[in-house]
Amino acid sequence: MESLDFGIIVTIVGMGTTFLTLIFLGFVIDVMKKLFPVERPSVEKKPAPLKQAAEKSS
């Protein structure tokens, strides 16, 4: 029975450590995004004229 208790404790500690590490890494990623923002090239799309858009949908 002691080995079962020890196994459950080790499982809980391992899962807790894993989740805490994932939360910490998520926080680090958020901080890195704010420190080094990614600038994406802007692609300007012109809206289709209403007549052409209506003809295409028919």
Side-chain angles (χ1 to χ4, degrees):
M1 196 65 169
E2 282 184 30
S3 62
L4 179 63
D5 293 340
F6 180 71
I8 291 173
I9 291 172
V10 169
T11 301
I12 291 171
V13 170
M15 289 175 63
T17 303
T18 301
F19 285 124
L20 286 175
T21 303
L22 288 172
I23 291 169
F24 176 73
L25 286 175
F27 176 73
V28 169
I29 289 171
D30 286 341
V31 170
M32 295 294 278
K33 283 182 183 178
K34 290 182 181 181
L35 289 176
F36 306 106
V38 176
E39 295 180 13
R40 298 175 189 238
S42 61
V43 177
E44 295 181 17
K45 291 186 178 180
K46 296 181 182 178
L50 294 177
K51 289 183 181 179
Q52 289 178 357
E55 290 172 4
K56 287 182 182 179
S57 65
S58 299

